[in-house]
Amino acid sequence: MKLTTWQSSPELAQQLATEILPDYLPRCRWFRSKTREIQNLQVRFYPSLPDSDAHLLNIKVEYAKGEDEQYILPIDLVTDTAEIEALKAQSKMVVIAEVEWEGKTAFLVDSIYQAEFRASLFEAIRGERESKNEKVRLVGEAGKLLKAANIAKPIKSKVPSAEQSNTAIIYNDEYFLKIFRKLEYGLNPDLELVRFLSEKTDFDNSPRYGGSILIYEAEKDPIILGMMQNKIVNKGDAWATMLEQLERYYGRVLYADPTVIPECIQQEQIYFEDIPKDIQNLISRATYNRVAQLGTRTAEMHIALASDRERAAFAPVVLDINSQKKISAAQKQLAQQQLDALTNLLPKLSPEQQAEAQQLLDKKDILLAAFDHFKTTPITAEQTRVHGDYHLGQVLDDGEDFYIIDFEGEPLRSIAERRELNSPFKDVAGMVRSLHYAAYGELYLHPDKYPQIGAMNLEAWAAQWFHYMSQAYLTAYFHRTKGQAFVPNNKEALEQLLRVFILEKAIYEVGYEMNARPDWLKIPLRGVLYELEE
């Protein structure tokens, strides 16, 4: 393929849009719509960053059906053989296309993998630099963290090998820059909430805001190109931590070979001492304490997010009857859609899955009635800003404490939807469901490790672990949030609020697993049934 020009021009934009990007984009991890039919691509050039020769492409993708999307892609032209080999060693996605340029072989590359471009990003943020053309401005903003830092030079940077829906850059092993490849107009809640928690509250268990690069177009909301924060030293996420704890738990179960599975204790709050002695020995106080710590950190996050009553974007509002009706209607619609899909899938499921799926289908009226009951339950509580996509994978563990990350919200929702106030119980429900997934996931992820799942009735022991650990989490959460306006002081209202959000999350998971991992369908099925039996 012969490159006709390397100047930012309509000719280059057309060649990129028609000959190069249609093949490259669907291979990128950050490209969200791989299964959609691309009808047309449009490329325009954002202003180049100061001290950078890379073109900053704004790519508009038009589809045969559905809404258009926009993406960012910095590109450069590399002719040096040694440089291209070094770049290829970083990632298989470095090379966008091999081209002919001025009679020689050259390569179009993703500039994120070039150290010089990464340095220009860092300096644009730290120096609060601006670049612009007649239509667009790129503006760097430095937070308190970066302004106060004494930064050693030269700036060293790297792109982690794991491919994600966004792109990460690590600077000097201290700072973490997230590049939002998919562009959306509006204030991304990840930036908004991290900046708020870092600079307006005393909550210490989330990243510190370092700065950002924003894109301004005339008469439009800003676009967040990238956000910088401190790098949190960790040993992994809380999902990995819980799987480690569960591996020890199942090891103790197998060693003890218990034949009698006791009834779970049902009470409003459960502390470690309330758990039967035999179960205490299997779970361990250390595991209980870590899960309770997670509940406390969740509570402190919600208290911080509810602390500003002046800014319109953060000031809590009353959860009134109209809000309850809106929530209930959306939950009922979701449940109906998933149950219809489950009915259609039923003949394709294994006999065991069919039996559990049928149990849920038989309880359809009870499930829908739970959502109906919620909209008529008198509730005195507030709605606040929330995390929005809260689960064990969104929490880092440094071995001693937990740090909550990724405040972007559910990626399939619009920016406006993700910035809406909601009940913090949405986050609480997400974490409860994540603990349920961990309890069974440790078994299903390692079938070679647990060949005796059925013989030892390990799934029943998974239910035991989940029951006591979810109660540990909730006990710690409600202890720390006692008296907060977002927690109803009426027991029935509190239970209703928590129940409908857990049911909503579990029924959403039923739909997800039907499409993604049918073998895991039993986990959310049991989650819904567990709540309906409460």
Side-chain angles (χ1 to χ4, degrees), residues 268-282:
E268 190 171 333
Q269 295 182 326
I270 293 181
Y271 295 94
F272 188 73
E273 292 73 15
D274 300 321
I275 302 173
K277 187 69 174 178
D278 289 345
I279 306 299
Q280 285 184 21
N281 294 336
L282 296 173

Side-chain angles (χ1 to χ4, degrees), residues 8 32 84-85 214 278 382 392 400 420 425 439 481 519:
S8 56
R32 302 282 180 89
I84 195 64
E85 291 305 316
L214 298 96
D278 289 345
E382 290 183 340
L392 289 166
E400 296 182 358
E420 289 178 351
F425 283 47
T481 56
D519 290 345

